[in-house]
Amino acid sequence: MSKNREIAEIFENMADMLSIADENPFKIRAYKKAAVNILELREAIEDASARGELTQIPGVGKDLADKIREYVETGRMKEYERLQENIPLDTVDLLRIPGLGPKTLSLLFKGLGIRNAADLEKALDGPEILEFKGMGPKKIEDIRRGIALLRKSKERSRLGVVLPIGESLVEAVSRIPRTEGAILAGSLRRMRETVKDIDVLTISDNPPEVVEAFTSLRPEKDVLASGGTKGSVILQEGIQADLRVVGPESYGAALLYFTGSKAHNVRLRGLAQKKGLKINEYGVFRGDAMIAGETERGIYETLGLPFIPPELREDRGEIEAAMEGRLPDLIDLADIRGDLHTHTTWSDGKATIAQMADAAEGLGYEYIAITDHSPSQTIAKGLPIERLLEKKKELAEEAGKRKRIKVLMGTEVDIKMDGTLDYPDEILKGLDVVVASVHSGFKMDRDAMTNRIISAIRNPYVHAIGHPTGRLINEREPYDVDIDLVIGAAAEYGKALEVNGSYPRLDLNDLHVRKAVDAGVKIIISTDAHSTAQLLFMRYGVGTARRGWVEKKDVLNALPFGELYEWLKSGRG
DNA sequence: GCCGTTTTCGGCCCGACTGTTTTCAGTCG
């Protein structure tokens, strides 16, 4: 196991310590930048160190290279330890509270001796804190809210973080001798936007041996339980993983049971009872006789039901729909023919137009829209009109070279505070794809925000609203918006709403997107990719859409190019 | 702390928004 992650985390922590110590901001940035680049490094950092090529890592100069080498060789970093003597890691942790930055923390650290969360909470209740410059009642309330949000986020991790870890775990389990395949269950299989733990199910004729192998798979942080049929560990990543081992005859029953949701399973067991049957994690029983259990499909059949996809299993009406034969024909990842919200080096993306187009071709897409930011997004290098026109030229050249994929000229244009857009209509008119999004002024009141977004929907050149609620899972609440009115307006004006597949967003969420398709609104499932790798976020978007009962016919980027293009052109004065 | 023929010192992304102010500091992206 390479030490890339550890070293990146150390530099990240050091940057935070330096920021609390009020150090040179550029030095702080240097540490952070190095951390990011180390995390993205394609090889084990020990190898680069052994070759003496650490300084070839971007952002790593002589000093940081020395520190990395010291850590690789000794497992320690003196400077890091020295910093911790002044500023403990508990204090650094407080920076993760949204609304509490280094300046305020430094003030409280020095002035009130606040070193950890307990100190902070006590101080927030006391009167002394108001003595400090810049501290007022609203700020204190902000920090309190931030603490609550952080607490919530600690319980559940984001889908896009955990799913890859779960998949590699499944692979590892399937390589354990005497197992027959392995599969993810639980909320991960249901593609919930956040998950608490990883559930893995496998088949074996010797469960205890498999559990034993599982708990010693990797140098796991902690073994919570290790028994005859199930084992439970805390992975290095800090996430709990449970393994259940069953015989082949019970595989379907166990999968159903451990996939949940609990509410769905309770309903199924109720149905079974009425038929004189009993369902448990080993099978379906009539008296003592087991009549199903090998497959999930077989179990649903004994209840007179068709197979219900995992994403629907929330007891949100799927059982009634199944009984009445009106389950949705859910969109599949394979139905997706293109990505309509992506960024490139023209604004804040990491890849060029050509690289993004190549990657999209590699995914078998028919089209990709390049939608860089508009000028208000200065931090994201949003494009002034002259740059937009330059980009248009490059994109046209790039598009001209390609036979297999259509490269569309687009923008993610900012919806400004007053509801107008960040480019004039005559510019928007000349673009193939216009996604309009809110990136500023998140604290507007509900009416103002709703009207702001509806103003954008009314613009004849806007095709879709990007990440319509602005939330960042575990980081930022959605802005206050009446989503029903937005959906109504989208339906009225024939505009699409986005399901943004970037896993911190997943916005619209499952419930909202279901409302949207119920109202007849078209959906665009996009990745908002800022790199070629992020084009793979599509599966999170599709998972969220499936949880929202979205069918292929609802999704614009499941259309063949000709039909999509017709839609894009329609209704534009 | 990093970086580089506008180089070995002097930059390094910066504007919007908020809450606290009475001209600005802190946070965010």
Side-chain angles (χ1 to χ4, degrees):
Chain A
M1 200 63 197
S2 67
K3 293 187 169 161
N4 303 34
R5 189 190 291 262
E6 289 166 41
I7 291 170
E9 193 183 320
I10 289 172
F11 283 168
E12 190 69 44
N13 284 339
M14 289 175 83
D16 286 341
M17 290 165 173
L18 294 171
S19 73
I20 296 167
D22 225 5
E23 265 278 3
N24 174 3
F26 298 109
K27 181 172 169 181
I28 295 163
R29 197 183 302 165
Y31 273 89
K32 287 202 188 243
K33 207 172 147 201
V36 169
N37 288 321
I38 289 167
L39 215 49
E40 286 176 2
L41 205 60
R42 295 261 173 221
E43 62 168 344
I45 199 162
E46 295 91 312
D47 295 344
S49 178
R51 291 200 309 276
E53 289 178 3
L54 286 170
T55 53
Q56 290 189 12
I57 301 169
V60 175
K62 187 181 173 304
D63 285 25
L64 293 185
D66 285 347
K67 292 187 172 70
I68 295 168
R69 197 171 316 113
E70 182 196 356
Y71 188 77
V72 166
E73 286 167 11
T74 68
R76 298 176 57 183
M77 201 184 290
K78 289 216 185 70
E79 177 75 1
Y80 184 43
E81 291 168 13
R82 199 184 59 75
L83 278 169
Q84 278 182 66
E85 281 169 23
N86 294 324
I87 301 166
L89 283 173
D90 276 354
T91 311
V92 174
D93 247 359
L94 297 177
L95 277 181
R96 293 180 36 206
I97 298 168
L100 180 64
K103 300 291 179 191
T104 310
L105 183 54
S106 171
L107 204 66
L108 300 177
F109 178 74
K110 288 174 190 153
L112 285 173
I114 285 170
R115 314 194 116 223
N116 54 44
D119 292 347
L120 177 61
E121 289 196 285
K122 207 187 291 170
L124 287 175
D125 290 330
E128 311 93 304
I129 194 165
L130 284 164
E131 310 272 341
F132 288 87
K133 200 167 148 237
M135 297 300 296
K138 288 205 171 160
K139 186 122 189 214
I140 287 169
E141 201 39 52
D142 238 11
I143 296 172
R144 275 214 191 88
R145 252 204 318 277
I147 293 173
L149 192 65
L150 189 63
R151 282 246 165 77
K152 223 175 6 169
S153 79
K154 270 192 174 152
E155 294 167 15
R156 303 185 70 87
S157 307
R158 297 185 282 201
L159 175 64
V161 172
V162 184
L163 189 56
I165 297 171
E167 284 168 339
S168 75
L169 191 62
V170 159
E171 215 185 295
V173 168
S174 65
R175 282 198 302 265
I176 294 175
R178 300 181 74 172
T179 61
E180 204 179 303
I183 188 172
L184 286 171
S187 49
L188 215 42
R189 182 163 179 245
R190 302 203 312 281
M191 298 291 277
R192 269 193 67 172
E193 63 190 34
T194 59
V195 298
K196 206 169 85 230
D197 50 22
I198 299 171
D199 291 298
V200 180
L201 180 70
T202 187
I203 296 174
S204 176
D205 57 3
N206 190 341
E209 205 179 289
V210 173
V211 172
E212 170 65 28
F214 170 73
T215 53
S216 48
L217 258 186
R218 295 189 281 170
E220 309 300 2
K221 242 170 137 182
D222 231 336
V223 177
L224 300 176
S226 179
T229 62
K230 64 177 220 177
S232 195
V233 299
I234 303 285
L235 300 176
Q236 282 175 325
E237 293 85 349
I239 297 160
Q240 182 173 335
D242 300 333
L243 178 75
R244 331 265 174 164
V245 191
V246 298
E249 70 288 347
S250 294
Y251 178 74
L255 185 55
L256 189 66
Y257 185 87
F258 295 122
T259 296
S261 68
K262 195 170 183 177
H264 179 85
N265 287 347
V266 166
R267 290 289 309 280
L268 291 187
R269 289 200 290 271
L271 286 181
Q273 242 172 13
K274 279 188 198 153
K275 292 179 185 284
L277 303 174
K278 189 182 85 177
I279 300 181
N280 59 28
E281 64 255 61
Y282 300 104
V284 183
F285 297 86
R286 175 173 284 128
D288 286 338
M290 181 162 135
I291 61 169
E294 214 172 321
T295 66
E296 286 186 322
R297 192 172 295 275
I299 294 167
Y300 281 115
E301 255 169 40
T302 64
L303 302 175
L305 298 176
F307 178 84
I308 300 177
E311 293 91 337
L312 297 183
R313 299 180 195 168
E314 299 288 347
D315 192 23
R316 290 176 181 162
E318 74 279 7
I319 291 172
E320 290 74 11
M323 289 193 287
E324 294 159 19
R326 50 174 184 82
L327 277 176
D329 181 15
L330 296 181
I331 179 85
D332 271 314
L333 186 55
D335 294 328
I336 298 295
R337 295 178 187 243
D339 203 326
L340 296 178
H341 182 170
T342 68
H343 298 266
T344 67
T345 46
W346 277 93
S347 63
D348 58 348
K350 291 244 170 72
T352 62
I353 294 174
Q355 288 167 334
M356 293 298 274
D358 284 344
E361 262 187 50
L363 292 172
Y365 286 165
E366 288 175 33
Y367 43 85
I368 178 171
I370 308 293
T371 54
D372 283 301
H373 289 289
S374 61
S376 288
Q377 283 297 301
T378 48
I379 184 67
K381 294 197 290 170
L383 301 176
I385 291 174
E386 319 81 69
R387 294 254 306 148
L388 181 85
L389 296 177
E390 281 174 49
K391 177 189 156 185
K392 214 171 162 180
K393 260 189 226 163
E394 181 186 312
L395 187 135
E397 269 174 41
E398 205 46 63
K401 284 189 227 160
R402 292 164 191 274
K403 293 227 164 67
R404 281 171 46 203
I405 191 163
K406 304 280 191 239
V407 184
L408 303 177
M409 177 67 192
T411 181
E412 180 182 17
V413 63
D414 262 51
I415 305 172
K416 294 193 285 190
M417 298 286 280
D418 62 0
T420 62
L421 300 177
D422 204 17
Y423 287 125
D425 284 0
E426 56 268 29
I427 291 294
L428 296 175
K429 193 176 182 176
L431 304 177
D432 299 319
V433 177
V434 176
V435 178
S437 306
V438 168
H439 290 115
S440 62
F442 294 138
K443 294 198 171 167
M444 281 176 112
D445 72 55
R446 190 177 179 83
D447 285 350
M449 184 59 92
T450 304
N451 288 329
R452 178 180 175 186
I453 294 172
I454 290 176
S455 299
I457 287 175
R458 288 204 181 107
N459 181 296
Y461 303 108
V462 167
H463 292 115
I465 300 298
H467 43 74
T469 77
R471 63 120 173 225
L472 289 175
I473 298 173
N474 288 354
E475 288 175 37
R476 183 175 72 204
E477 296 291 345
Y479 36 72
D480 198 4
V481 58
D482 188 329
I483 197 71
D484 294 323
L485 289 182
V486 169
I487 288 170
E492 183 184 345
Y493 289 89
K495 299 304 174 71
L497 295 178
E498 179 181 74
V499 172
N500 188 302
S502 169
Y503 65 78
R505 292 194 181 273
L506 300 181
D507 177 13
L508 298 174
N509 69 19
D510 49 1
L511 296 172
H512 291 152
V513 68
R514 186 166 172 192
K515 278 186 180 179
V517 293
D518 277 350
V521 172
K522 292 295 181 196
I523 301 301
I524 291 177
I525 307 175
S526 301
T527 63
D528 203 349
H530 284 67
S531 68
T532 55
Q534 290 183 0
L535 289 169
L536 297 175
F537 287 171
M538 188 60 81
R539 63 173 174 158
Y540 307 125
V542 170
T544 300
R546 285 170 64 89
R547 289 179 59 80
W549 296 50
V550 174
E551 305 193 47
K552 185 178 173 182
K553 66 173 173 54
D554 301 317
V555 179
L556 287 171
N557 54 316
L559 291 174
F561 178 71
E563 289 175 42
L564 172 74
Y565 202 67
E566 222 168 88
W567 186 88
L568 290 171
K569 290 292 165 205
S570 67
R572 303 183 97 181

